[in-house]
Amino acid sequence: MEFSLLGPIAVTTGSTELSLGPAKRRSVLALLLLQPNTTVPLEQLIDSLWEDEPPEHARTVVQGHVSRLRATLAEGGAEAYGIELTTHGSAYLLRLPEELIDAHRFGELVALARPEAAPADAVPLLREALGLWRGPALTGTVTSPPFAAAAHALEERRLTAVEALGRAHGTLGEHEQAAAILYSAAVNHPLREGLIAGLMRALFRTGRQSDALEWFHRTRRLLNEELGVDPGERLRGAYEEILRAEAADGGRAKPTGGARTGAASGGAAAGHGRGAAPEGGRSSAAGHGPRPVADAGQGPVPDGTGAADARDGDAPGGDRARAGAADGARAGSGSARAGAAPRLLPRPPARFLGREEELGALTAVLADRTTGESPLAVVAGPAGVGKTACAVQWAHQHAGSFPDGQLFADLRGFGEGDEAPPAEILRDFLLALGTPPERVPTSAQAASALFRSLVAERRLLVVLDNARSSAQVRPLLPGGPHCATVVTSRSRLDGLVATDCARPVGLQTLGHEEGAALLGAMLGPERVAEDPAAARELVDLCDGLPLALRAAAAQLTARPRWRLARLAAALRDERRRLALLSAEDTGIAAALRMSVARLSADDAQLLSALATSADGHLNTALAAALAGYDPERTQDGLDRLAEMHLVDEEATDVYTISTLTQLFARDERGEGGDGGKGE
């Protein structure tokens, strides 16, 4: 069992992540983990959980969260790991081996590293320590001052480790590696003078004195504009050291130590872009700093994939990154033409109609360049609502805005087999961008860094379809300010919203008019016009889901003599409806099965209980009665089902479950005859 504080709050046993419930419960666990094997007073928990005046029943709420945490840990086998959550009067104690906490392991590894005395040993220790980070610390906790202060303290420790890793590489003469590591952190923390000073020295020692001096002047301006102060001793010292060295060398600084001869390190840094590399975070200044350096965090970047060679050394700004990518293509086996923009989008969806509002929302999100960041949209909705079609339609409509290419990948988050590992997708992307197969990194971390390096200055669109979780998506995000990313998922992917400023674009089911128009596009308008009432009924029987309507149209296409009313009559039989709304490998039952397969046993049982609701409308109390759960457990389950779009929260404590979802859940319980079993 392992506990994670360095990123989203999580508890894992083997490959399984325990379900921790809402933010306040995660916050209780986080506070106990921040003070392991120490009694934490109930009043401290209350003060930390509520930023404003706590409610009268705050003690009861905290006690309930502790009770559920205790049960969750027990279900995960906590006793076998020597873990125990106990009550001591009005305080709580989480007793556990501290090495199970990632923040504790991080501190131990950093303490063992001696960057100056033993740099060769320090590098792997610090890399392992930084590799424990999976995003901003304490993600998923409440936004109160105590948690903000704790997260800030952990982030300071991370930055100190990044600086130490840079010094270790510098001591070994590996100045390119040092620059690559320090660059990302410097972009995200442009006022941290020690970090900038280390980056300046590393850049200078790779022969990039102009970039080093540019960092100084940029930081000096920022310090003056934002804080009204001048550079401190460390930053001034690095600046004066570079000027003295330039003067002594006649202005011709040369690469030293581990710097590669003839390589000017174009491209983007490790971690440039949204928090995929452990040393980096989400860049808030992408594209506005000095020219980035190639990722050397996993050893020297192979010539031609992330670094422009010496003849490109004078290429201005972003041209160097493109030159590096083109070199990679030229060095390949011929499968990708040098400079060719990849076009990996599927063909446009057939008979796509409507969705003007959603397409407009995507345009508003993905065309927004006011923040200087790479825009990210999440198209979310229930199974069968047409998320992929909407995303691909928009991508084709706006392909001209991304002349450097369009990438597409099915992440298989809700498919028959395992979800696609990031390393697999990144390999496909890098090959499409012209990287020779033998130079594609084997680790997801290194491949992610190289991917961001190649696209840092490109105008590129990335479409990531069928994502299961935010963690699956993050390594695949480009960091360049001219790139844009569309993600589709049945989950809301709140993690991407929290850590990567993703903008959600929700997809709703079709109304009568839109649904009838889709049937007309599939069957011909005359066939629908002859019985508009039956067309409206078909839309209702299909819950307005485009996938179900297309399956219904396939049934009618195969039976040209059937009128719409005949299929509507057949679909009224709830025992047959799911089976009829399928066509070979496509159908609403198959789609729902993939969603339900991703649920925990508790949530699947809750969904099954909700299926017995008479009209599909319920509240927490009714759901608890149907499932036999206590109200708090039921509320948590309803929240997760709503996040997966298996129920819809229409208002506070007002939930609905669609008819087709009810029918599927009943069939899974064995109560619905053979409906859907034809899948």
Side-chain angles (χ1 to χ4, degrees), residues 8 20 52 76 106 113 137 154 163 177 222 226 258 276 301 338 348 353 367 382 406 424 473 502 588 659 668:
L20 296 179
D52 300 318
F106 172 82
L154 288 168
E163 293 177 9
Q177 286 90 330
L222 284 173
E226 298 192 21
V301 176
L353 296 175
Q406 303 93 43
E424 173 186 316
V473 170
I588 196 64
T659 302
E668 292 297 288

Side-chain angles (χ1 to χ4, degrees), residues 1-2 11-18 72-73 75-78 81 83:
M1 183 172 284
E2 295 182 347
V11 181
T12 56
T13 56
S15 60
T16 302
E17 183 172 328
L18 301 184
T72 299
L73 293 174
E75 292 168 3
Y81 296 90
I83 300 168

